[in-house]
Amino acid sequence: MTLTPTHGPDVRARRLTTTLYGYAFLEDFVLLYPVYALLFSDTGLTVWQISSLFALWSVTGVLLEVPSGAWADAVSRRLLLWLGPLLTAAGFALWVLLPSYGAFAVGFVLWGVGGALGSGALEALVYDELERLGAADRYARVMGRARAAGLVAVMAAMGLAGPVLAWGGHTAVGAASVLVCLLAAAAATRFPEHRSPAAGHDGWTATLRAGLAEARADRSVRGALLLVPAVSAVWGALDEYTPLLVRDTGVADTTVPWLLLLVWAGATAGSLLAGEGERLGTTGLAALLAGAGLALAAGSVAGTPAGLVLVALAFGGFQAATVLADARLQRRIEDTGRATLTSVAGLGTELATVAVFGGYAVIASGNAHSTAFAVFAVVYPATAALLLAGVRARAARARP
């Protein structure tokens, strides 16, 4: 009689994915997310001070995005994944214990550092562990489900933040957020990791140089790096303005959150279907981007609640394409610089997002929000055209 091993690849893969889904949910199940602007306002901060806090948060992430990725390649990625939530928890604790501009600023820096530590490290750890188990082809499906878990957590936090705030004020919301961050850190310690950190005193700087050198030397890596921000930056920035787009359809303010849930549900469905999308190939990905861009433009300019169904479909397509672009990048990166180059793609996304914010302010200042959404939707058919041009160029080079 042959006994089935109790610690085979399927068991180890299940441990990895279960930990990942729990970690992704806990990272985004933060009740402070929907109400922290109210905390700042209730403390007496002006709009200028609140905006400066957001800017400080963004600058922290931009400055640390790539160095943190190189550090993740040089040391333990699991270490960074549990350290990040601890720093975020410390920042949230400062907000509720010492509510003031200075405490908010320090909290945003800690949050920015915590987010940067996990950016690149998570994707690299998951891909390498799946590859070790011979399951790298499941990466898009696994990460799509992880993103869906995070989106469900955001929706749950939006639903619970109001009742908890009414019951215990900002202190209760803050305490719940700190607890969730601590649970996320605890979950991160369960991630398997079987790689050896880089040796030597200059490990992380050498890793950074090696990763950037790989991007310069390999055209396919460069293309995959550029595709990530091209796919994710625009719709990620537009998401911040969806409440304004929804309100412009003429619904009451109390109806806006329910219609936003429709949009989030579309993005969640896109995450869950991302694994199936790997069968599409480059041409199929181009078709997905073009179709989602057209749906976003049509749904936005419709100016009706029914048009938001198209916006939800578009966001589902964008979410699936974001996961697929990340999977495309991971397949092209050598193991040693995986977190570094993933962070480079993250930096490109951050910078492109800031540019979209600026462009949106210019367009929407003299036009309806639907016009701004429709203008930025053009980016996706354009990206699809570039992908198809790349396919034709590779086919031409392959001809004898």
Side-chain angles (χ1 to χ4, degrees):
M1 181 175 67
T2 303
L3 297 178
T4 302
T6 58
H7 298 287
D10 287 343
V11 174
R12 294 194 293 270
R14 189 157 53 247
R15 177 193 170 186
L16 170 65
T17 55
T18 301
T19 302
L20 173 63
Y21 301 153
Y23 182 80
F25 183 90
L26 291 169
E27 260 208 318
D28 285 324
F29 187 54
V30 178
L31 270 61
L32 268 172
Y33 285 175
V35 298
Y36 61 69
L38 302 179
L39 171 62
F40 302 157
S41 180
D42 292 345
T43 305
L45 269 62
T46 65
V47 174
W48 182 90
Q49 288 175 312
I50 295 174
S51 298
S52 68
L53 291 174
F54 292 157
L56 179 63
W57 185 25
S58 298
V59 169
T60 302
V62 167
L63 292 178
L64 294 179
E65 181 76 35
V66 175
S68 67
W71 192 26
D73 281 330
V75 300
S76 167
R77 292 163 181 168
R78 180 172 55 196
L79 168 66
L80 270 60
L81 290 175
W82 66 256
L83 182 59
L86 291 181
L87 294 176
T88 303
F92 291 161
L94 276 177
W95 286 5
V96 295
L97 293 176
L98 301 169
S100 63
Y101 181 82
F104 296 148
V106 174
F108 264 123
V109 170
L110 290 172
W111 190 3
V113 174
L117 291 180
S119 177
L122 180 65
E123 294 85 351
L125 183 148
V126 172
Y127 190 90
D128 283 348
E129 291 300 318
L130 287 174
E131 188 174 46
R132 177 177 172 273
L133 296 172
D137 59 329
R138 294 166 55 185
Y139 176 80
R141 181 182 298 107
V142 168
M143 289 305 295
R145 291 174 179 174
R147 301 279 177 87
L151 291 170
V152 170
V154 170
M155 291 188 285
M158 292 172 68
L160 287 175
V164 174
L165 183 65
W167 172 72
H170 293 298
T171 301
V173 173
S177 301
V178 170
L179 176 61
V180 167
C181 290
L182 295 177
L183 292 174
T189 63
R190 290 185 48 80
F191 274 118
E193 185 174 26
H194 294 86
R195 61 182 292 275
S196 299
H201 185 68
D202 60 344
W204 83 269
T205 55
T207 302
L208 176 59
R209 290 194 297 270
L212 296 178
E214 180 183 353
R216 288 194 298 268
D218 193 326
R219 177 184 296 176
S220 67
V221 173
R222 289 199 306 273
L225 277 173
L226 292 172
L227 181 63
V228 171
V231 170
S232 58
V234 171
W235 83 273
L238 292 179
D239 175 60
E240 301 295 332
Y241 301 100
T242 48
L244 303 175
L245 178 70
V246 172
R247 188 169 63 180
D248 278 1
T249 62
V251 299
D253 285 356
T254 54
T255 307
V256 170
W258 296 105
L259 291 175
L260 286 177
L261 286 177
L262 170 66
V263 177
W264 281 95
T268 303
S271 283
L272 294 173
L273 294 172
E276 302 300 324
E278 278 206 296
R279 304 174 184 176
L280 297 175
T282 302
T283 302
L285 178 59
L288 176 64
L289 288 172
L294 293 175
L296 178 63
S300 300
V301 300
T304 63
L308 296 175
V309 175
L310 288 175
V311 176
L313 289 173
F315 272 41
F318 297 146
Q319 179 66 68
T322 298
V323 175
L324 294 173
D326 173 44
R328 187 188 185 95
L329 174 62
Q330 300 303 328
R331 287 195 299 269
R332 285 162 171 74
I333 300 176
E334 296 294 333
D335 169 61
T336 53
R338 188 174 307 283
T340 301
L341 291 178
T342 304
S343 290
V344 170
L347 174 61
T349 301
E350 292 282 351
L351 294 175
T353 299
V354 172
V356 174
F357 284 150
Y360 192 97
V362 172
I363 297 171
S365 61
N367 300 279
H369 292 285
S370 58
T371 301
F373 270 71
V375 169
F376 280 108
V378 176
V379 170
Y380 290 101
T383 302
L386 290 175
L387 280 174
L388 293 176
V391 170
R392 288 193 293 268
R394 286 191 295 273
R397 288 195 298 270
R399 295 192 190 102

